[in-house]
Amino acid sequence: MGRRSRRTTDTRSWVSSLVRSGVGTADELSRQVTEALRADHPDLDADAVASRWIAEETAAWRSDASRWSDPTDYDRLQRAFASLTARGIVVLQGCPDHWSARDVARSHAPVGIAWFTPPDIWHSVDEGMLEVNLWHASTANAAPGDALLDEVLAAFESAGVRARFDEGRIEVSAYWRRRPPGPDG
């Protein structure tokens, strides 16, 4: 495979993960893909290719989702996140970065904050592993032996997903199989 072809394949794979993450609006999705195409593939008509790839990946997502069992790992994750939220732990799904998470922690005074970025979601779409950061309200990292960490791990287990703490993050064994919006959404 040639260098250009490999780069196009890599970009297309990223677009697939981005679409399947379901994070952001349709306009944000279009903007991100168009900008990436302009930067990485200046020889392509970025607007036309972005529109075509998004439509094709959305159709593939819908087709795949029609064969997923109920509940999906995504559904289980949402149950765990709802449980954490009910306990005063803020959950930020697709948080842009640690500064954004820090700002939420400072403004909401939660029990704790669990957060992960869009690239974490893309990894879960492709590899079935979601890495979740867990902080105390002070933004100090959770660590083995913390009651907060134990509580979060128990919430994942109760929701039916395996999770373990490793190297400062919680590794959750789950594919991000979020169902696509309807044809009009």
Side-chain angles (χ1 to χ4, degrees):
M1 181 181 295
R3 187 174 179 200
R4 180 174 185 259
S5 179
R6 179 68 186 160
R7 194 173 46 162
T8 302
T9 299
D10 290 346
T11 303
R12 182 70 185 249
S13 178
W14 170 76
V15 171
S16 177
S17 296
L18 184 63
V19 166
R20 289 168 183 260
S21 75
V23 175
T25 66
D27 288 342
E28 291 167 340
L29 173 65
S30 179
R31 180 189 49 75
Q32 283 183 283
V33 173
T34 301
E35 286 175 3
L37 287 168
R38 284 189 183 127
D40 296 342
H41 305 280
D43 55 318
L44 298 177
D45 178 347
D47 293 316
V49 172
S51 180
R52 186 176 80 243
W53 283 5
I54 290 169
E56 290 170 0
E57 293 304 332
T58 300
W61 180 24
R62 285 193 176 110
S63 176
D64 290 347
S66 71
R67 295 184 296 278
W68 293 341
S69 62
D70 278 323
T72 65
D73 285 349
Y74 175 82
D75 299 327
R76 291 179 188 95
L77 286 168
Q78 296 311 307
R79 278 199 307 263
F81 297 150
S83 173
L84 295 175
T85 299
R87 297 171 187 190
I89 299 168
V90 172
V91 178
L92 301 176
Q93 300 182 53
C95 182
D97 51 46
H98 75 276
W99 294 283
S100 299
R102 180 204 61 201
D103 291 346
V104 169
R106 287 180 177 169
S107 66
H108 287 79
V111 170
I113 186 164
W115 62 277
F116 47 93
T117 66
D120 294 322
I121 294 172
W122 307 334
H123 184 72
S124 180
V125 166
D126 296 332
E127 303 297 329
M129 177 66 64
L130 180 66
E131 294 186 355
V132 178
N133 296 287
L134 180 62
W135 291 348
H136 291 275
S138 67
T139 71
N141 288 319
D146 283 350
L148 177 65
L149 176 59
D150 294 342
E151 183 176 3
V152 171
L153 292 174
F156 284 121
E157 183 180 330
S158 179
V161 290
R162 290 182 314 132
R164 69 186 188 100
F165 189 77
D166 186 48
E167 297 183 12
R169 295 178 84 181
I170 299 171
E171 294 180 346
V172 185
S173 297
Y175 280 94
W176 189 268
R177 289 201 171 142
R178 181 178 185 164
R179 297 208 184 268
D184 300 327

